[in-house]
Every structure is written in structure tokens, then in C-alpha cells.
Amino acid sequence: MLRFAACAIIGLGAALLIAALLLSTYTSHRITKIPLDIDTTLIGDGTGTALDAASLSTEHLTVNQNVPLVSQQQISVESPANADVVTLQVGSSVRRTDKQKDSGLLLAIVDTVTLNRKTAMAVSDDTHAGGSVQKPRAFGDENPPTAIPLRHDGLAYRFPFHTEKKTYPYFDAIAQKPFDVNYDSQEDINGLTTYRFTQNIGYNADGRLASPIPYPSLYAGAEDAKVTASAAMWGVPGEPGEQVTMTRYYAAQRTFWVDPVTGTIVKETEHANHYFARDPLKPEMTLVDYKITSNEETVESQVNAARDERDRLALWSRVLPITFTAVGLIALIGGGVLAAFSLRTESALTDPGLDRGDQEFFGRSGLEEPVPGAEAETEKLPTQRPTPRDDVGPPGADSPDPAGDEPTEAGPADPKPPERE
């Protein structure tokens, strides 16, 4: 039974060591993937300059300054989503909080993208767009939304696991193409160490307009990319009735604070500018120019999500492998000791003499001198007969009878030896 127990313990130790090796080399790489259960709402708030939608029905467009704004980003998982890819549907909007319902909506877009779960890169090629955007609908339009295929490239809404301090391509759904996002610095956000990345679209590093993007319309006729109105409506110099055509441009600056372990964006600041102009570097009519930052609730929620992911990764890549390795080594050592003990026990039970000599289990060691008396064989002494008494009593006196008072029978007289001639 001791031998069987020793074999079982050694087998358990070997299994634990193999499991630790697999967890650290195979399993940890398979769990560093974007989760399939993402369902979150990210809120940001700020202020900006925005066109008053009510002025569209007047003779002159009106722009309001320092209006309160809020952005909302609803992220959920759609099909296809499997072991290799995940599809995110992201509905983004920017609205004025001083206006009610649809009158306060300034921007809205629904973007869908399929990402590689490990690299966070969009999965697309010449035959598969890898994403789509919903065609804008007019207020009150009850028809189902129409998805327009749109090729996505680069990162989108996440960074890869084990994010590096380098430049990544990051897709912009409004500009409909990726732009570089550059590592800037390392900062602490709510106790979490993050990497700070910055992205410039149409702006230079100093925050000045450099190469704004002509707005890529989602309408077939590009109705919202070029608009013609009177000079009076635009509020530009010239004859009031003169028709002036302006082009819509877009530029943006974004800052991301990313958890480098999980790639989760824990905080984001966005400065975006949508405007109409005849010269791209000289805005003439602002549609919306805002700066919005993730609010505290969103930051706290994203930090907690990143920490949960970190704990899950640490459990499978460090905690369990280290624990299994330690327990496995202890089991191997304990099994080896038990196996040696079982062999000695078996030999002692088979032939006790084999266990004598200069080794014992828990007693003397071979270095101790054996006690001669204890090791020597006992000599058997012969039984000593009683010695006859030499003293004889006086004549006529009875000889003492050692057996008692009973007389003893006299034996026959010894024959007389013959005489020699």
C-alpha cells in the first residue's frame, strides 16, 4: 500500500508540473483575447460651439458658444463572434444637453467592425470589408436602417493585449480610414498604470489645422458633404442673395489612456471639429466644434473592467502555474521519500535480519559502535551436579537423608576385586 501511495503521489506531482507548463505556454496565450461578452456604455461630457438647428428654418444660421455637450458610445457584440474574431457594433452620438430630444442631436453614427480577438486589428481584405456603417436616416424615418459595407483597417475601439510603446494604425469611422496613434507617455489613472496615446486627424502636433479631411458622405448624392446657400444664410460678405457653395471638413484630436496588459481604453479625450468652408484651412461656418472627456463613472467602470481582465490573466498565466509547480515539486519529493520508506519497510518485513547492521530507520546509524555484550551470542553453561559430602558421621549414627526421614534401600555390595597372583 505504501508503494502504491508513493506511485500515486509521484504521478500527481508529475501531472501538476505538466499542467503548470501547459498553463504558462499554451493556455495563457489562448486566453489573451477580446472577451465575447462586451456590453457597455461610455459617457463623456464637455462644452463646445454648435449650430442651432432651429436657425436652419430662418434667413441666417446661428452658432451658439459654450454649449453643454454629452457623448455616448454604446458597445455590444454581434455576429460573427467565435474563438478567433469578435464583431463590435458601436453606436456613437453627440448631443446638446440644453436641447430636448432630436433638436439637441448633433452627430450620430452606427459603426460595425470585425476584429481579430488577439491583435484587435480589423479583419478585412479585398473581398471582405470587415465592417459597415448605417446610412443616416431623417427624423421620423421608420424604415429599417441600411448598412453600407465599409472596409476597416487597423485598431478600432480597443488596443491589443500587451500593448507596446509604439505607433499603431487606429480606424476613424467618420473619416473612413485609419490614422496613426502614437505612444506619448505613461500615466496613472485611478491607481492603474496606463499608456497614453495621441492621434491627430487634420491637426498638427500644435493643435492647428494642417490637412483637414473632406467629409465622406454616406448619402449617394453627398447632400451633406457640399451645401449651397445664400451669402446671407452663411453670414459671409457679398450680395445677400448670392449662392455660395461650401464643403464640409472634418478634423479631430484624440487622446487614449490604455491599460497595457488588456488593451482596454480606460479614458478618452476627443476634440473634433466639423465645419463648412471654401478654403479648408479657413473655417467659415461651424457645425460643431467640441472637446469631450470620459466622465468619472465611465473611467471607474473601465478601470474595474481592466483590473478584472488582469486578474483573470494573472490567475491562468502566473498564479496557477506557480502554485502547480510548487505543489508538484513537493509531491515528487514526498513521493520519493515515501517510496524509499516503503522499500525499507518491505525488506524489514521480508527478512528482519537484513535490517540489522549499520543502518536503521530511526535508531542508531552506522557510525555508532555496537555494544559487544549485546551483539555476542550467549554461552550455554552445563548443569552442575551436586557434590557428594565427604564427611561421614560416627559409627552407629544414621546417615542424614537428604530426601527426608525415609530409609534408603541398600544396594548390593560391590564385588571384591580379584587378587593378583
Side-chain angles (χ1 to χ4, degrees), residues 131-325:
S132 63
V133 291
Q134 285 187 11
K135 182 179 179 180
R137 294 183 296 168
F139 294 123
D141 188 354
E142 297 181 356
N143 294 324
T146 302
I148 303 174
L150 177 63
R151 175 164 179 165
H152 287 61
D153 294 293
L155 305 176
Y157 308 107
R158 288 188 67 97
F159 280 69
F161 282 84
H162 307 298
T163 301
E164 300 179 19
K165 299 177 180 180
K166 68 177 188 179
T167 298
Y168 292 94
Y170 192 93
F171 188 80
D172 185 280
I174 296 177
Q176 299 183 10
K177 60 182 180 179
F179 294 86
D180 286 345
V181 58
N182 304 302
Y183 172 79
D184 184 51
S185 61
Q186 183 173 304
E187 293 186 13
D188 183 89
I189 301 295
N190 289 12
L192 184 71
T193 300
T194 63
Y195 290 171
R196 174 176 169 170
F197 290 86
T198 57
Q199 182 187 47
N200 290 315
I201 303 172
Y203 284 105
N204 59 21
D206 297 329
R208 296 182 179 181
L209 286 173
S211 55
I213 308 299
Y215 183 77
S217 177
L218 297 175
Y219 291 107
E223 294 90 346
D224 56 348
K226 287 183 179 291
V227 177
T228 301
S230 65
M233 176 68 77
W234 289 116
V236 297
E239 294 294 330
E242 180 185 358
Q243 296 298 303
V244 179
T245 299
M246 292 193 183
T247 302
R248 180 176 173 179
Y249 292 95
Y250 164 70
Q253 287 182 309
R254 294 188 179 91
T255 303
F256 303 98
W257 286 266
V258 181
D259 172 31
V261 177
T262 66
T264 302
I265 300 174
V266 300
K267 183 180 178 181
E268 179 179 351
T269 297
E270 179 181 15
H271 172 214
N273 189 3
H274 297 254
Y275 63 92
F276 290 93
R278 288 169 286 187
D279 183 340
L281 299 181
K282 297 179 180 180
E284 296 181 82
M285 178 57 63
T286 298
L287 178 60
V288 58
D289 183 6
Y290 64 87
K291 185 174 183 179
I292 289 177
T293 303
S294 303
N295 62 19
E296 288 299 327
E297 290 78 10
T298 295
V299 172
E300 186 66 28
S301 174
Q302 291 297 94
V303 167
N304 291 336
R307 284 174 173 160
D308 290 342
E309 279 294 301
R310 281 190 173 200
D311 292 342
R312 184 176 69 89
L313 294 179
L315 174 65
W316 291 97
S317 62
R318 291 199 303 272
V319 176
L320 288 181
I322 292 174
T323 302
F324 285 178
T325 300

Side-chain angles (χ1 to χ4, degrees), residues 39-63:
D39 187 6
T40 184
T41 300
L42 309 178
I43 305 296
D45 48 37
T47 58
T49 301
L51 179 69
D52 186 358
S55 66
L56 293 173
S57 58
T58 65
E59 296 180 356
H60 181 70
L61 297 176
T62 302
V63 177

